[in-house]
Amino acid sequence: MSDANKAPIGIFDSGIGGLTVVKAVMEQLPNENIIYYGDTARVPYGIKSIETVREYALQITEFLLSQQVKCILIACNTVSAAANEEVRAFCGNVPVLDVVAAGAEAALSVEAKNESIGVIGTLATVNSQTYETAIHATAPGKRIFSKACPMLVPLAEEGWTDNEISRLVIEEYLGDFREKNLDALILGCTHYPLFTPLIERYLKKSGTKVIDSALSIAARTRAMLAEHNMINESGEKGEFTCFVSDKPQRFQNLAERFLGKKLHRIEISPLV
Ligand code: DGL
């Protein structure tokens, strides 16, 4: 194994939600060092213009490359939708994976009973039709039903992921999806995996498989690193470094909830 294998994996998101991807990567690749960047000063991206999201995404990419990462995971659906090509071009030979491609692939691997897939995400992600493009590239006959669920982001930030209010919001957003007997529902926003138990319960009778793209991108990362002989096989537990552009007071608590574990150090590194 070369020293390059010990280089960290760079993961970024508009804010805290990408920690759901970090958690999945930690579980599937426990020896990898990880550097995370959350743009907490400028979140949310989901309601911003494509041009603005692109500019922010390239600034973060530049920062991660300066940390000598061996690959980059775009852990934000909105960035994947708005700036995928730009980030890849900027990275040159450094491999880039994104949550949209991973989520689309996972949804297509579900047994197709009704040839239909649901997608929920931010306004920017849903309006971009990025999941439609990714899915139709391999399965043009699939029917896709998408819906923006903007209320879920603040609910997740508040920690209201499985209470009476979140239940009512899920019912309001997914009411018509329940009748469609979708084969799969892609959680196309980094915050939504926190609602997985609630959504699974709500869609239970319709037999819809709920797709968490955090799990899929982690599996893809493992496969990509193995293919390029880039896995860190040092046997040491991977280190996690968390950078943010601003540290709101409740960030630590929230981050620990997303990650499901204690965070000892969070560094503030503004981009502008
Ligand atoms: N991280 C964003 C996403 O996955 C959700 C939060 C935001 O709007 O910035 O689309």
Side-chain angles (χ1 to χ4, degrees), residues 140-218:
K142 291 277 181 204
R143 283 178 304 138
I144 300 169
F145 301 92
S146 55
K147 184 171 268 185
C149 304
M151 277 296 288
L152 294 183
V153 171
L155 281 178
E157 300 262 343
E158 196 59 38
W160 291 0
T161 52
D162 203 346
N163 66 8
E164 189 58 13
I165 294 170
S166 48
R167 194 179 58 74
L168 288 172
V169 173
I170 292 288
E171 272 179 34
E172 180 68 27
Y173 281 139
L174 300 186
D176 50 342
F177 277 15
R178 187 148 76 159
E179 313 310 318
K180 293 192 194 314
N181 295 325
L182 303 165
D183 297 326
L185 175 71
I186 299 175
L187 305 181
C189 171
T190 45
H191 286 62
Y192 298 178
L194 293 175
F195 299 93
T196 302
L198 187 57
I199 295 175
E200 279 181 341
R201 274 203 310 276
Y202 185 63
L203 294 178
K204 199 167 176 203
K205 282 208 184 92
S206 44
T208 303
K209 171 111 173 81
V210 176
I211 306 289
D212 173 353
S213 44
L215 300 178
S216 335
I217 195 169

Side-chain angles (χ1 to χ4, degrees), residues 1-28:
M1 187 185 82
S2 82
D3 265 3
N5 292 35
K6 291 189 180 167
I9 296 175
I11 303 180
F12 76 96
D13 179 39
S14 55
I16 206 165
L19 291 175
T20 52
V21 171
V22 171
K23 183 168 185 245
V25 172
M26 281 177 171
E27 279 164 9
Q28 296 190 35

